[in-house]
Each structure stands twice: as structure tokens, then as C-alpha cells.
Amino acid sequence: MQESNLLLATARAKLEEMLLARGLRRSSERFAILEEVYSRNDHFDAEDLYQAMHQKSYPVSRATVYNTLEVLVECGLVSRHQFGDNDKVRSRYEKSLGRQQHAHLVCTVCHRVTEFCDPRLHLIKTNVGQSMQFQVDSHSLVFYGHCTDGDCGNVNE
Ligand SMILES: [Zn+2]
Ligand SMILES: [Zn+2]
């Protein structure tokens, strides 16, 4: 089995378990949304997801998209970010199963989101934790700026 299929299977099982535990309906829409989320590699908002479902001829209501995202965040299958590059407050999401901890570059012009990993972040976390006597469980780091590759403004993520 491909790694992505394996991830999706694990994610489905986890969602199923969560819906059962909560007494929520295990509707096919929720699983279709999960599948869409796990087929993407970007940082999308709820509207992107809603549009994508419609383009794939799997129309679901906005309410279903929103409340399924809530459930996915709560069971740790999706991470939610509040990037501050936009006047509108809109959460952006990405799949989280099988993903490494990473930091983000957010373009305030075209709103493109890029990821990077730097092992020094782990060092900082350890050092600060030790010197401040603080157990660091997670962190988020976002750099805001703009693209310098000349393509900025042509993408609409
Ligand atoms: Zn990311
Ligand atoms: Zn840009």
C-alpha cells in the first residue's frame, strides 16, 4: 500500500472512532471531506475546501464543511492556523497525520504559504525549555513577508 493510502486509512479509522465516541453521524460526506483534505498538500481555508468538493461533483453544504473541519481539528487529523496576512480573519488548515513539525513563510501580497524545517528550532526549544524550566509541548513560527521570485501576485492560494 502506498504511504498516502496508508495515511488515509489511518485517518479514516481515527475519524470513525471519534464520530462513534461522540455519537455523531458517520456520514459519507464527512469521509469524502477527509479524503479531499488528505489529497491536498496546501494550506486551505474552509471556502477552498467547499469549492473543491463542488468541483469534484461531491456537493456538501458549507455547514458540513465547517463542522467536519472542527471534528478533524479536535481529533488531531487537521491543524488549524490563524495566519495574520489577511484583514479577514480566516483560519487555514492542513492535514497533520504523518507530517513533521514545520514552520511557515506567509506572503502578505499573494497569501502563498511555504513550509520550512530547520533543526535549530528544536535546539532553541530545548535550550529555552531548560533555562526557563518550562515543558515546551509545541510551537508555531510564522515569518511574514513577500515572495522575491517574481511570481508573486500570480498565485491565488
Ligand atoms: Zn504547513
Ligand atoms: Zn507572494
Side-chain angles (χ1 to χ4, degrees):
M1 198 169 358
Q2 271 188 317
E3 200 191 339
S4 59
N5 289 340
L6 192 65
L7 273 184
L8 181 61
T10 311
R12 288 182 69 95
K14 211 166 171 181
L15 176 60
E16 180 131 20
E17 194 180 299
M18 175 77 164
L19 293 173
L20 256 177
R22 293 278 184 91
L24 293 168
R25 217 158 60 85
R26 281 172 290 153
S27 64
S28 58
E29 284 97 341
R30 293 192 206 269
F31 290 96
I33 290 171
L34 177 73
E35 196 163 320
E36 170 62 24
V37 166
Y38 271 76
S39 73
R40 308 175 71 108
N41 292 308
D42 60 346
H43 303 76
F44 53 89
D45 64 15
E47 187 62 24
D48 296 330
L49 191 56
Y50 173 76
Q51 298 294 346
M53 296 305 290
H54 278 253
Q55 270 164 26
K56 294 192 173 164
S57 310
Y58 206 116
V60 290
S61 69
R62 282 192 171 83
T64 304
V65 168
Y66 278 92
N67 72 43
T68 301
L69 276 172
E70 280 306 308
V71 173
L72 294 178
V73 169
E74 278 178 50
C75 58
L77 292 172
V78 165
S79 316
R80 184 191 351 241
H81 304 288
Q82 306 281 2
F83 295 135
D85 59 317
N86 213 305
D87 291 342
K88 296 175 286 180
V89 177
R90 48 169 205 166
S91 300
R92 268 177 285 184
Y93 303 86
E94 63 179 317
K95 62 185 172 194
S96 56
L97 214 63
R99 300 293 327 275
Q100 265 196 329
Q101 169 84 267
H102 58 267
H104 295 103
L105 306 173
V106 178
C107 178
T108 55
V109 179
C110 68
H111 308 294
R112 183 159 47 184
V113 179
T114 314
E115 300 181 341
F116 70 94
C117 291
D118 189 318
R120 285 172 294 184
L121 293 176
H122 180 72
L123 264 178
I124 294 173
K125 198 170 77 174
T126 310
N127 289 345
V128 170
Q130 271 168 8
S131 66
M132 305 294 285
Q133 303 193 348
F134 188 85
Q135 169 64 46
V136 180
D137 294 325
S138 66
H139 74 267
S140 78
L141 175 65
V142 187
F143 289 145
Y144 295 101
H146 57 86
C147 314
T148 56
D149 66 355
D151 204 24
C152 185
N154 293 330
V155 266
N156 200 359
E157 198 186 314

